[in-house]
Amino acid sequence: MMTYIVSILSIVFVVSFAGFSSKPSPIYGGLVLIVSGGVGCGIVLSFGGSFLGLMVFLIYLGGMLVVFGYTTAMATEQYPEVWLSNKAVLGAFIVGLLSELLSVCYILKDDEAEVVFKFNGMGDWVIYDTGDSGIFSEEAMGIAALYSYGTWLVIVTGWSLLIGVLVIMEVTRGN
Amino acid sequence: MKPAILITITSTVVLGTMIVLFSSHWFMIWVGFEMNMLAIIPILMKKYNPRAMEASTKYFLTQATASMLLMLSIIINLLCSGHWTVSTIPNPVASTMITIALTMKLGLSPFHFWVPEVTQGISLSSGMILLTWQKIAPLSILYQISPSVNSNLLLMMAITSMLVGGWGGLNQTQLRKILAYSSITHMGWMAAIMVYNPTLAILNLTIYIMMTLGTFMLFMHSSSTTTLSLSYTWNKFPLMAPLILMLMLSLGGLPPLSGFIPKWMIIQELTKNDMIIMPTLMAITALLNLYFYTRLTYTTALTMFPATNNMKMKWQFETTKKTTLLAPLIVTSTMLLPLTPMLAALD
């Protein structure tokens, strides 16, 4: 089962994306977002990126989504829309699921598909090793490189985040 | 908006475009586009009326979609070429998608529908930044990938943009919509020559920016957003009337004004590349644009438009509005034609 863990997690990932893209009420969207975020972490963890996966869990799910959940709970309506209550949402969800199922069947029937690049069956996505070069963990070295060679990227990213906050406050000020 | 926030946000708009211009890594270019788009939203929403918010939302949606397309095509390019450097794009799928993403950002047809609506919903100064500064970044990326761009696609977009910009602007009385359709047409001229001689596209962009900046500043000086209010110019600011005449005719591309330089060089470059029908069509569709520019000129400077009597006898106050850089802009927008041999050697 462990060799197929990435495939299973990817299926859950994609199904939960269809779940919140069909636009239920934000509470349920947030719920499915948590599931998809957690499963995405699982995929990153399976490829050996333990630090990055835990960071996403802690900061994204445990910080940002928690705040999102609280604000949505404050602003929610009396009867929020769930997937089964509104035909449009249910229809969108089923369309999303069906299109993913169809693309999976298209890939599996020939065991090889070329959409933009060649996809050679399940062999591409099975984990045999974590991708370490042996002596040091590539992923931790990458994060370390972000703060040494990638200083400009840190500056730009930090500035973009600050601007994101300023812009949102400016836009919602309204007077 | 508080001055500190305005300075921060404006500098981020500039910083975003600078990052796009000066990066060689595709990811940083995408980051620059996103920073630019995010920071210009509050500038578009300077006035808090529903029209401005609707315009900002439309702008945000189209630009975000274009950025997503850009990211997808960057990843496809990475898969096929194996590197993140901005150079020619070997994969035709990635190349087509990058072209479509960038033309969505520019407002070329068939992705032009947001331009008049967004320009109309925002104030004149925000519209000025939208139609001039925001065109620099996508055109610079098109310049860098121009050897690998699908020429059929870009030329189709160019000719349809010219038709849309010409016919769309014919029935307009709102000045911001007229300038939006003028922007669509000029982007069409730039896209047409991008495949054959990208330097001329940059030349066209420079002269277009100068002309549009001058036009917007003249409109802002008299706070006129409709043809009717522009027609009171002869009484409010008598000096502005002939200036509007010169600038409008320059936008239309009439010799001996500067607006003729890009059109002349583009048609010459296209005929050097054995294309005869295309520049003929382009020159003919430029007449559509010229019609509504001369109509603006006619109502402003050449006739006394029907007006009530109190509009024809205004108190002549001394103006307190700053006309920063207006004089050099008007001079460069109208009198650069003798310098054409020097401008064409830009590389």
Side-chain angles (χ1 to χ4, degrees):
Chain A
M1 203 272 284
M2 272 317 278
T3 46
Y4 294 111
I5 188 73
V6 172
S7 319
I8 296 172
L9 288 179
S10 304
I11 294 172
V12 177
F13 192 60
V14 162
V15 166
S16 45
F17 263 61
F20 68 71
S21 306
S22 51
K23 289 189 285 286
S25 163
I27 300 259
Y28 295 104
L31 177 68
V32 176
L33 202 58
I34 289 181
V35 169
S36 71
V39 163
C41 281
I43 297 177
V44 172
L45 281 168
S46 309
F47 277 103
S50 43
F51 179 66
L52 283 172
L54 280 173
M55 279 300 113
V56 170
F57 234 105
L58 263 179
I59 311 294
Y60 182 68
L61 296 184
M64 299 198 276
L65 261 182
V66 163
V67 174
F68 172 73
Y70 276 121
T71 52
T72 321
M74 280 202 295
T76 190
E77 57 225 359
Q78 198 181 13
Y79 295 106
E81 257 178 26
V82 79
W83 292 279
L84 294 176
S85 70
N86 185 0
K87 287 203 180 55
V89 176
L90 183 64
F93 183 51
I94 289 180
V95 163
L97 277 183
L98 273 179
S99 43
E100 284 164 18
L101 202 61
L102 283 175
S103 43
V104 166
C105 289
Y106 172 67
I107 290 174
L108 283 182
K109 101 179 142 71
D110 282 332
D111 210 30
E112 180 177 279
E114 173 152 21
V115 175
V116 178
F117 57 94
K118 258 192 159 335
F119 172 69
N120 293 312
M122 297 298 284
D124 270 350
W125 285 353
V126 171
I127 308 289
Y128 293 118
D129 60 50
T130 59
D132 283 348
S133 69
I135 302 177
F136 45 83
S137 155
E138 280 176 351
E139 163 238 1
M141 288 299 117
I143 296 164
L146 182 68
Y147 291 98
S148 63
Y149 300 112
T151 312
W152 174 239
L153 191 59
V154 171
I155 294 173
V156 164
T157 320
W159 185 254
S160 306
L161 288 173
L162 173 68
I163 291 299
V165 171
L166 285 180
V167 161
I168 288 178
M169 289 205 295
E170 202 45 54
V171 162
T172 53
R173 190 146 59 115
N175 61 339
Chain B
M1 210 189 293
K2 295 199 169 57
I5 309 282
L6 183 63
I7 291 175
T8 319
I9 295 207
T10 315
S11 63
T12 310
V13 174
V14 173
L15 181 66
T17 309
M18 291 291 126
I19 289 179
V20 171
L21 290 180
F22 295 137
S23 289
S24 53
H25 196 277
W26 271 116
F27 186 74
M28 294 308 291
I29 288 178
W30 179 82
V31 166
F33 273 123
E34 293 294 294
M35 203 193 271
N36 191 17
M37 169 185 74
L38 202 57
I40 205 174
I41 298 293
I43 295 183
L44 296 185
M45 282 178 63
K46 247 192 241 185
K47 303 202 180 119
Y48 291 98
N49 51 26
R51 195 72 191 275
M53 298 193 171
E54 179 192 333
S56 316
T57 314
K58 281 182 193 161
Y59 183 72
F60 177 76
L61 286 174
T62 50
Q63 300 282 308
T65 313
S67 290
M68 280 197 296
L69 269 178
L70 184 68
M71 192 43 144
L72 177 61
S73 48
I74 290 173
I75 293 179
I76 296 176
N77 180 34
L78 173 69
L79 275 170
C80 291
S81 65
H83 62 82
W84 290 92
T85 318
V86 182
S87 57
T88 61
I89 301 171
N91 188 6
V93 174
S95 167
T96 311
M97 284 181 78
I98 290 190
T99 314
I100 290 179
L102 293 173
T103 50
M104 271 177 86
K105 283 188 178 286
L106 281 174
L108 277 174
S109 165
F111 310 113
H112 64 277
F113 293 99
W114 61 271
V115 188
E117 298 173 25
V118 173
T119 320
Q120 179 61 28
I122 57 185
S123 61
L124 273 173
S125 53
S126 307
M128 181 169 79
I129 299 179
L130 181 75
L131 288 183
T132 54
W133 182 259
Q134 297 294 91
K135 312 288 183 196
I136 295 180
L139 276 171
S140 79
I141 302 300
L142 264 181
Y143 179 96
Q144 288 175 29
I145 62 169
S146 60
S148 54
V149 162
N150 186 3
S151 58
N152 288 333
L153 178 68
L154 210 51
L155 288 173
M156 267 313 286
M157 284 188 180
I159 194 66
T160 47
S161 301
M162 291 180 225
L163 291 170
V164 160
W167 275 320
L170 278 182
N171 199 20
Q172 305 295 339
T173 55
Q174 294 283 335
L175 293 177
R176 285 170 288 182
K177 280 215 177 98
I178 286 180
L179 284 173
Y181 283 108
S182 140
S183 149
I184 297 174
T185 316
H186 281 102
M187 292 301 131
W189 277 87
M190 288 181 226
I193 196 60
M194 186 68 80
V195 186
Y196 297 107
N197 190 352
T199 311
L200 292 178
I202 304 295
L203 174 70
N204 195 350
L205 179 70
T206 319
I207 295 183
Y208 163 73
I209 286 180
M210 289 193 293
M211 294 190 293
T212 311
L213 276 178
T215 317
F216 265 109
M217 281 192 199
L218 282 173
F219 292 165
M220 285 199 299
H221 190 69
S222 59
S223 302
S224 49
T225 53
T226 59
T227 312
L228 183 64
S229 58
L230 196 63
S231 68
Y232 302 141
T233 313
W234 64 269
N235 197 313
K236 281 203 292 188
F237 305 101
L239 182 56
M240 252 178 64
L243 293 180
I244 291 180
L245 184 150
M246 307 275 280
L247 223 43
M248 285 291 135
L249 294 181
S250 188
L251 267 175
L254 286 184
L257 302 171
S258 314
F260 181 59
I261 301 174
K263 293 194 165 49
W264 173 20
M265 308 259 63
I266 287 176
I267 293 181
Q268 184 175 7
E269 205 61 37
L270 283 173
T271 50
K272 275 189 211 166
N273 279 287
D274 264 345
M275 303 186 69
I276 310 293
I277 302 180
M278 173 94 178
T280 316
L281 274 176
M282 284 161 64
I284 292 176
T285 50
L287 285 174
L288 291 166
N289 271 53
L290 189 62
Y291 177 72
F292 57 80
Y293 294 137
T294 44
R295 182 168 56 197
L296 275 182
T297 315
Y298 181 71
T299 60
T300 312
L302 298 178
T303 53
M304 269 175 59
F305 208 61
T308 51
N309 274 340
N310 60 350
M311 286 293 160
K312 294 191 248 188
M313 292 178 279
K314 282 177 171 257
W315 287 108
Q316 299 282 335
F317 290 113
E318 261 203 40
T319 177
T320 52
K321 279 198 184 158
K322 287 206 175 66
T323 55
T324 321
L325 279 184
L326 186 56
L329 276 174
I330 294 179
V331 169
T332 50
S333 313
T334 52
M335 297 172 73
L336 273 186
L337 193 65
L339 290 179
T340 311
M342 184 189 85
L343 294 171
L346 284 168
D347 205 5

